[in-house]
Amino acid sequence: MQGKMIYIIIAVHNRKQFTHSCLESLFAQSYKDFKVIIIDDGSTDGTGEMIRKDFPSVIVLQGDGNLWWSRATNLGVEYALRENADYILTLNDDTIASEDFLQKMMFWAEKYPTALLGAFAVDADNKQPFFGGEIINWKTASSTYLIDVLKPEDYRGLHEVFHFPGRGLLIPSEVFRKTGMYSSESFPQLAADYDFTHRAYRSGYKIYCNYDAIIFVFPRASGDAQNRKNKSWKSYYNHLFGIKGGGNLRIFWLYARRNCPKRYLLFFLVTGSIRRIFGYLIDWISVN
């Protein structure tokens, strides 16, 4: 599917080394029809200067440090849409793309041109599968992770899901034109990607994890992982209420109200809240 232009959108803030490695992997791709947009949200570690020096073809959009992921990504998407991008790929800076990552994405995009295709994530440190899609069971307030139920020999091709994170997600431009942008007011940092893909699915777009398109990830580098690493009452508060907190109750309730079927909503809210409130404490106690 050479000739279809991909705009790769990456929001960054003060992670110069991660950003450099990510960009290095992109410019080693076998598929060459892409442009990279970095939204540098107020970095003070020299990220912007490094990009301009080492990757001069990258388009840099500047933020003031208050954009967070959703508004920053929306800026990049709006730029790409004005440039008539065929596809938009959202990507995290703490990822390294395999050399044929874009080629494998576009192979399947040619067969399913309106589908959203997510990357198969492998832990960069131990080379073990980390994420290959998830299916939520709203009725039981639980999730099935495909890497836990698929046989290793089935870690290939496409596997359908109903939502996907923005970490390595190829999105046809028409999806944004039809369904709108990320909900930055409701979800400034977390859950905006999941919410967007739920919305896309309800609008009739199929979503798959593409097990042929591999990215390497650093799970322990995420904001939530850093917050959970050193247990304290401050970290617990940030877990439940902080903008990067993986257990943020306000975000969880908004996400559930917008996406969970109404007949399961009360049970989903109660069960999910209990897990977020007590899961951190149980983990804290067990460590000690």
Side-chain angles (χ1 to χ4, degrees), residues 89-191:
L89 177 78
T90 58
L91 190 64
N92 289 6
D93 63 344
D94 57 345
T95 60
I96 296 175
S98 56
E99 188 174 335
D100 61 354
F101 171 68
L102 293 179
Q103 196 76 46
K104 295 295 188 182
M105 278 295 190
M106 298 312 291
F107 172 84
W108 285 109
E110 186 172 15
K111 299 178 184 301
Y112 299 91
T114 63
L116 288 75
L117 303 178
F120 178 41
V122 172
D123 191 312
D125 294 323
N126 59 28
K127 303 301 184 289
Q128 294 300 306
F130 177 72
F131 184 79
E134 154 193 22
I135 296 175
I136 296 176
N137 186 329
W138 300 107
K139 185 177 181 179
T140 61
S142 62
S143 288
T144 298
Y145 293 91
L146 296 191
I147 60 174
D148 294 334
V149 296
L150 291 174
K151 297 178 181 178
E153 57 265 31
D154 294 326
Y155 287 1
R156 56 187 175 84
L158 301 187
H159 292 274
E160 187 172 5
V161 292
F162 309 108
H163 67 291
F164 211 84
R167 179 190 55 222
L169 182 64
L170 185 74
I171 307 165
S173 292
E174 70 170 72
V175 179
F176 288 101
R177 300 187 192 279
K178 181 174 180 179
T179 67
M181 309 294 281
Y182 293 101
S183 298
S184 59
E185 293 300 319
S186 298
F187 308 109
Q189 180 71 10
L190 302 173

Side-chain angles (χ1 to χ4, degrees), residues 18 44 57 177 184 195 211 252:
F18 276 123
T44 57
S57 66
R177 300 187 192 279
S184 59
D195 175 73
Y211 275 68
F252 168 68

